[in-house]
């Protein structure tokens, strides 16, 4: 197995060829914030919180902004993970996520158990410098066990990927474009009408906010089963499971 050496925050790091910058940083105990990334699922770089500054690769002397979750480490790369520029970008991204939706934490099932809420604390967001848009979005309660609140969806697509890549049911997708973009079930049908749904709840478990939830949950009652998902992801990663 070939190995490449790079620098992350002025530290020399050696990783196997094909390792992403996010994996390399985590192996070196260097934290990089993420929301859309989930180990065992394909990386899509949707949230852009894992942007890092990269120089010294492919002849580029000036730092470039690259998503760490989908960028492969190469020999001689120089990576910075927490510059003032990156901290400002991450703060702005989190502000945009809060202001483009309707995240009223006090009445959300994920209050206190929300990755977006935790990320706001991590990047230092205590208020928004941007105006709130307050879009009109609906809640789908057609499923007998679960609900979908589009007001809290941040389009991380974890639900799409876990349903596709782990459960193999292909219930979820992304529909429309721009400000009208949203997660859709089936071909835009109510969730409860999609016959392909196996009622497994994996999409609910991986949701980082309160967008997908158990109907029995009320404020601050988001329940997940990380141990079950970890086992499924481990099996898939080691090719012990197939849909």
């Amino acid at each position: 197995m070939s190995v490449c050496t790079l620098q992350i925050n002025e530290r020399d790091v050696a990783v196997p060829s094909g390792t992403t910058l996010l994996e390399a940083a985590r192996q070196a105990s260097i934290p990089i914030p993420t929301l859309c990334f989930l180990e065992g699922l394909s990386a899509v770089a949707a949230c852009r919180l894992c942007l890092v500054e990269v120089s010294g690769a492919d002849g580029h002397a000036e730092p470039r902004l690259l998503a760490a979750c989908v960028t492969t480490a190469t020999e001689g790369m120089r990576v910075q993970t927490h510059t003032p520029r990156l901290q400002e970008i991450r703060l702005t991204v989190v502000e945009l996520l809060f202001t483009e939706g309707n995240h009223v934490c006090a009445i959300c099932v994920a209050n206190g158990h929300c990755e977006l809420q935790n990320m706001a604390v991590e990047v230092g967001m205590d208020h928004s410098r941007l105006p709130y848009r307050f879009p009109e979005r609906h809640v789908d309660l057609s499923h007998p066990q679960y609900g979908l609140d589009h007001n809290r969806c941040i389009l991380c697509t974890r639900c799409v990927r876990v349903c596709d890549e782990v459960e193999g049911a292909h219930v979820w997708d992304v529909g429309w474009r721009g400000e009208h973009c949203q997660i859709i079930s089936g071909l835009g049908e109510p969730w409860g009408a999609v016959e392909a749904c196996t009622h497994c709840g994996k999409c609910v478990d991986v949701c980082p906010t309160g967008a997908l939830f158990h109907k029995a949950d009320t404020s601050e009652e988001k329940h997940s089963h990380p141990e079950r998902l970890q086992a499924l992801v481990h099996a898939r990663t080691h090719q012990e499971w197939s849909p």
Side-chain angles (χ1 to χ4, degrees):
M1 180 183 295
S2 58
V3 174
C4 67
T5 303
L6 65 154
Q7 283 190 346
I8 304 180
N9 297 347
E10 314 301 333
R11 290 172 50 186
D12 289 332
V13 177
V15 294
S17 298
T19 302
T20 66
L21 293 181
L22 180 60
E23 292 169 336
R26 288 184 172 181
Q27 289 176 25
S29 300
I30 298 173
I32 296 178
T34 62
L35 273 177
C36 68
F37 179 80
L38 187 64
E39 187 175 355
L41 302 181
S42 58
V44 294
C47 69
R48 316 307 286 184
L49 281 166
C50 71
L51 285 177
V52 293
E53 292 185 359
V54 178
S55 59
D58 301 324
H60 289 272
E62 293 298 320
R64 293 179 296 159
L65 292 173
L66 298 175
C69 68
V70 293
T71 302
T72 303
T74 59
E75 186 69 30
M77 266 187 174
R78 296 191 299 274
V79 182
Q80 293 292 330
T81 65
H82 287 81
T83 65
R85 179 190 186 191
L86 292 171
Q87 291 173 334
E88 176 61 25
I89 289 173
R90 289 166 183 161
L91 174 60
T92 303
V93 167
V94 175
E95 287 178 331
L96 286 168
L97 290 174
F98 270 96
T99 57
E100 68 84 32
N102 296 310
H103 297 279
V104 185
C105 298
I107 58 172
C108 180
V109 299
N111 188 26
H113 309 278
C114 174
E115 292 183 41
L116 178 61
Q117 206 174 53
N118 294 341
M119 189 58 62
V121 174
E122 182 175 338
V123 301
M125 177 192 165
D126 56 6
H127 71 285
S128 175
R129 299 167 294 179
L130 306 168
Y132 286 83
R133 300 186 66 237
F134 301 114
E136 293 186 14
R137 295 177 179 170
H138 70 280
V139 179
D140 182 354
L141 297 175
S142 60
H143 193 283
Q145 296 172 253
Y146 311 115
L148 166 60
D149 187 349
H150 288 284
N151 293 285
R152 309 188 190 286
C153 179
I154 59 174
L155 294 173
C156 69
T157 71
R158 283 188 187 180
C159 57
V160 177
R161 287 173 284 151
V162 77
C163 188
D164 182 13
E165 300 169 13
V166 177
E167 182 63 16
H170 317 289
V171 171
W172 300 105
D173 210 331
V174 180
W176 320 118
R177 296 182 179 181
E179 65 177 325
H180 303 295
C181 187
Q182 66 178 22
I183 297 297
I184 60 172
S185 51
L187 294 175
E189 308 162 86
W191 186 2
V194 180
E195 295 182 0
C197 181
T198 62
H199 311 273
C200 68
K202 294 183 183 67
C203 55
V204 179
D205 290 336
V206 300
C207 181
T209 65
L212 291 165
F213 58 91
H214 293 261
K215 280 187 172 181
D217 291 349
T218 57
S219 179
E220 300 185 46
E221 288 185 349
K222 181 179 175 67
H223 298 290
S224 61
H225 301 279
E227 68 289 341
R228 181 178 66 164
L229 287 171
Q230 187 177 23
L232 286 167
V233 167
H234 180 273
R236 179 177 180 272
T237 303
H238 293 78
Q239 298 182 337
E240 300 167 4
W241 176 94
S242 60

